[in-house]
Amino acid sequence: MSELWKTPASRALRADGLRIADIDTSARPGFRGGKKDGEALLTERGKVLAGLQEKLYANGRSGDNRSVLLVLQGMDTAGKGGIVRHVIGSVDPQGVDHAAFGVPTEEEKRHHFLWRIRKALPRGGQLGVFDRSHYEDVLVARVHELVPEAVWQQRYTEINDFEQELTEAGTELVKVAMFVSLDEQKRRLRERLERPEKYWKFSPGDIDERAYWPAYQQAYQDVLDRTSTDYAPWYVLPADAKWFSRLAVTELLIEAFQKLDLSWPPANFDPAAELRRLDTA
Ligand code: AMP
Ligand code: MG
């Protein structure tokens, strides 16, 4: 770890006991450098991440069924898409299973809320990336009363059981909740409306959602309080500075990969004998 981190990202960003109302969205917990340092470090650490991911992929090819799953949550403009682009951009795309979750389709609505999530889980050897997730079913579903309270209340336990099952089956979960301030969100939405190349990111509903921010804060608070577990803790990411978000998620992923303690898979052939054969081939 670089000396620019006073505290490892996994410790500095742990959600334990954190009040959402107290988040300083412009803070860089654990990091002592500025933007220039952060960007230089990101280039370096992106390579470390790519090396680890290649090792996981190689093991997956040899039958290892372990995986890493990055779960990204956050309000519109929090920067989830930027993280996806950055993470996938810094590693070998064939080792990434990406899924984005929007409003459920008619078919998805007929199933249990975890049905579409299970279908999108990373295969062995893959780095899964979820842009939104099963947590929408206790966030937007709760805030907009899409289901009765008795239904969403029960989902926290269902989520914890599901994630325990996942981790026991060999998936290292990295759950990141990204927060920008309401002012920063306004600035980013304005940018989406002023630049034609950003129109595609805008939905008129994003503006309406701003009025629900207190309800979302409460819903996010309950997510952190009720679903941050030892096996799948939440990390809270102040996301006003994009370079910091990317650096922090890269570090969290590196730490997750390191927990897998990967080595290169052994050859299932005799390399010396194959070299001899190659010489005369
Ligand atoms: P975006 O991530 O900008 O493409 O937007 C996806 C939209 O889908 C957001 O408004 C989410 O709130 C919504 N969404 C995602 N999952 C669900 C869900 N389970 N139920 C209802 N809406 C959802
Ligand atoms: Mg959106």
Side-chain angles (χ1 to χ4, degrees):
M1 193 183 68
S2 160
E3 63 189 19
L4 289 166
W5 284 95
K6 297 189 284 273
T7 314
S10 64
R11 194 136 44 85
L13 301 173
R14 267 294 276 259
D16 303 346
L18 182 127
R19 308 312 302 163
I20 286 178
D22 298 338
I23 298 172
D24 171 1
T25 56
S26 66
R28 295 107 192 231
F31 193 70
R32 59 171 116 232
K35 182 174 179 180
K36 272 221 164 67
D37 306 312
E39 285 175 342
L41 185 58
L42 182 56
T43 307
E44 198 183 299
R45 300 298 279 169
K47 290 179 194 152
V48 172
L49 178 60
L52 288 163
Q53 187 247 2
E54 188 184 1
K55 233 180 216 174
L56 178 64
Y57 182 73
N59 279 281
R61 293 285 301 252
S62 321
D64 189 332
N65 64 9
R66 290 177 302 166
S67 59
V68 175
L69 175 57
L70 172 66
V71 172
L72 295 170
Q73 280 296 152
M75 302 291 286
D76 285 296
T77 78
K80 302 183 292 297
I83 296 289
V84 172
R85 261 194 313 285
H86 169 76
V87 169
I88 298 180
S90 64
V91 303
D92 183 347
Q94 67 182 331
V96 179
D97 265 346
H98 165 256
F101 297 96
V103 178
T105 62
E106 284 309 315
E107 189 188 20
E108 286 169 350
K109 278 183 197 154
R110 285 196 296 273
H111 289 87
H112 186 267
F113 75 102
L114 292 173
W115 181 73
R116 64 176 183 164
I117 305 296
R118 287 184 186 278
K119 285 204 303 175
L121 289 172
R123 292 158 290 152
Q126 298 287 115
L127 165 59
V129 182
F130 280 4
D131 179 343
R132 302 187 191 267
S133 66
H134 42 300
Y135 284 98
E136 290 294 325
D137 294 283
V138 286
L139 291 166
V140 66
R142 165 179 170 171
V143 169
H144 289 288
E145 301 175 23
L146 304 179
V147 292
E149 172 163 0
V151 172
W152 60 254
Q153 282 288 1
Q154 182 188 319
R155 288 179 174 169
Y156 300 98
T157 314
E158 291 183 84
I159 288 173
N160 287 337
D161 291 348
F162 168 64
E163 292 183 351
Q164 183 166 23
E165 177 198 319
L166 271 186
T167 49
E168 282 170 0
T171 299
E172 197 62 53
L173 270 162
V174 182
K175 304 190 295 190
V176 180
M178 303 176 71
F179 293 93
V180 287
S181 65
L182 267 180
D183 282 348
E184 178 64 15
Q185 191 196 47
K186 188 175 247 180
R187 206 187 58 71
R188 292 183 186 183
L189 286 175
R190 183 184 300 280
E191 204 171 82
R192 291 181 179 185
L193 287 168
E194 287 174 346
R195 294 171 54 180
E197 76 275 19
K198 295 208 171 197
Y199 290 166
W200 66 275
K201 294 187 186 182
F202 182 80
S203 311
D206 297 349
I207 295 178
D208 304 308
E209 287 297 84
R210 288 171 60 79
Y212 292 91
W213 180 226
Y216 273 108
Q217 273 197 320
Q218 187 55 56
Y220 267 101
Q221 189 68 57
D222 280 354
V223 162
L224 300 186
D225 292 346
R226 298 171 73 174
T227 65
S228 201
T229 54
D230 287 340
Y231 49 88
W234 270 106
Y235 298 105
V236 169
L237 184 56
D240 282 359
K242 290 180 184 173
W243 66 265
F244 179 71
S245 296
R246 289 168 197 183
L247 179 64
V249 173
T250 300
E251 292 298 340
L252 291 173
L253 285 173
I254 288 174
E255 288 188 57
F257 274 96
Q258 283 170 342
K259 274 193 224 151
L260 298 179
D261 199 17
L262 297 160
S263 44
W264 293 106
N268 56 5
F269 46 83
D270 176 355
E274 293 301 315
L275 271 173
R276 282 193 299 276
R277 255 166 32 85
L278 180 63
D279 278 343
T280 57

